[in-house]
Amino acid sequence: MAPGGSIFKEVLESHLMSSSDYETGKAKSEAKINSTLTKSTSAGLNGRNGTSSKNGVHDLLGCPVCKNLMYPPIHQCPNGHTLCSSCKIEVHNLCPTCHHDLGNIRCLALEKVAESLELPCRYQSLGCNDIFPYYAKLKHEQSCGFRPYNCPYAGSECSVMGDIPTLVAHLKDEHKVDMHDGFTFNHRYVKTNPHEVENATWMLTVFNCYGRHFCLHFEAFQLGTAPVFMAFLRFMGDDNEEKKFSYSLEVGANGRKLIWQGIPRSIRDSHSKVRDSQDGLIIQRNQALYFSGGDKQELKLRITGRIWKED
């Protein structure tokens, strides 16, 4: 349902509060908002002119519990204190300010005021200079091209986020990932006991070419009940740019070879999402052992490939 306006209804729980309690709370809330509006109007709310809404109205929209901006439904207690719907559950329906039962009062006045606001993107410090209506801001931020990336390192639950230069330095310094310049690669993978394939047995290498960075993943894992080896490339950038590049992978020996060609997946997609979609070169264990030669007691795979930019 779209936010704001007459489409929202206030739902009262008569067994929790009387109608006079509700009217008192509503009056207090509206008086507080009107007072703030009077003080902040002169500051201007026109985001198109670069004016930030860092004023009293903006402060009123902050939830006192989680400190995030509130979106409909915004709840209030009979004394006019507001909080977001998620935190209403967390505080067990008790106002965190005055400890009065919250009931189901909607603060329609504050929701309506929010419609008039225009705010900068939360990633303004990372380069996004766009201004958005209050209710469009959250949707934009979920797909903003300036939002930070998650660390693409797959070997641990790394929580580091940042822009691409930050993540490249992080991968090199913290995860000790191999860094290479160039658009071709020759990747050798050796496993002493190929009959024991554990999930997340992997390797990661970062390549720098065409002024961009790419992550080459190579790993062994169980695909259902079958052990497989997989290699795939990820692009350190947004998914609207990944299609500018293509790559190929090749593995083989004894006059046979497997070839894969595809588009590198953006690191916006998680490592597990790309792997589970099987979007890469997949080598069954029997094939891998055949390519290894010898007595098949040791896995020795050499994967070659290249990256190129599409015209």
Side-chain angles (χ1 to χ4, degrees), residues 220-290:
F221 63 99
Q222 294 288 141
L223 183 60
T225 59
V228 298
F229 301 90
M230 183 175 179
F232 56 91
L233 196 72
R234 296 168 75 199
F235 171 63
M236 296 188 72
D238 267 344
D239 48 14
N240 61 343
E241 295 182 280
E242 66 183 22
K243 295 178 178 60
K244 297 178 181 179
F245 302 92
S246 294
Y247 75 102
S248 64
L249 297 172
E250 182 178 313
V251 61
N254 302 320
R256 277 88 169 172
K257 63 182 176 181
L258 294 175
I259 299 175
W260 165 267
Q261 181 174 320
I263 296 172
R265 294 278 288 272
S266 167
I267 60 172
R268 293 290 188 201
D269 288 335
S270 68
H271 165 268
S272 58
K273 180 178 180 179
V274 179
R275 188 191 71 180
D276 293 345
S277 68
Q278 303 176 40
D279 192 359
L281 175 65
I282 296 179
I283 313 162
Q284 302 296 329
R285 185 173 62 183
N286 288 340
Q287 290 177 317
L289 291 174
Y290 181 81

Side-chain angles (χ1 to χ4, degrees), residues 35-101:
S35 173
T36 306
L37 276 174
T38 301
K39 294 178 182 178
S40 62
T41 299
S42 61
L45 298 175
N46 192 347
R48 293 188 183 88
N49 294 327
T51 304
S52 172
S53 297
K54 297 295 184 181
N55 49 44
V57 177
H58 182 272
D59 293 339
L60 281 178
L61 288 164
C63 175
V65 179
C66 66
K67 310 303 180 184
N68 294 323
L69 291 176
M70 295 185 289
Y71 294 87
I74 298 175
H75 297 276
Q76 70 175 51
C77 77
N79 292 320
H81 303 126
T82 56
L83 80 164
C84 71
S85 57
S86 296
C87 290
K88 180 176 183 286
I89 300 173
E90 294 296 324
V91 299
H92 305 292
N93 211 42
L94 292 177
C95 175
T97 303
C98 66
H99 306 294
H100 196 289
D101 283 340

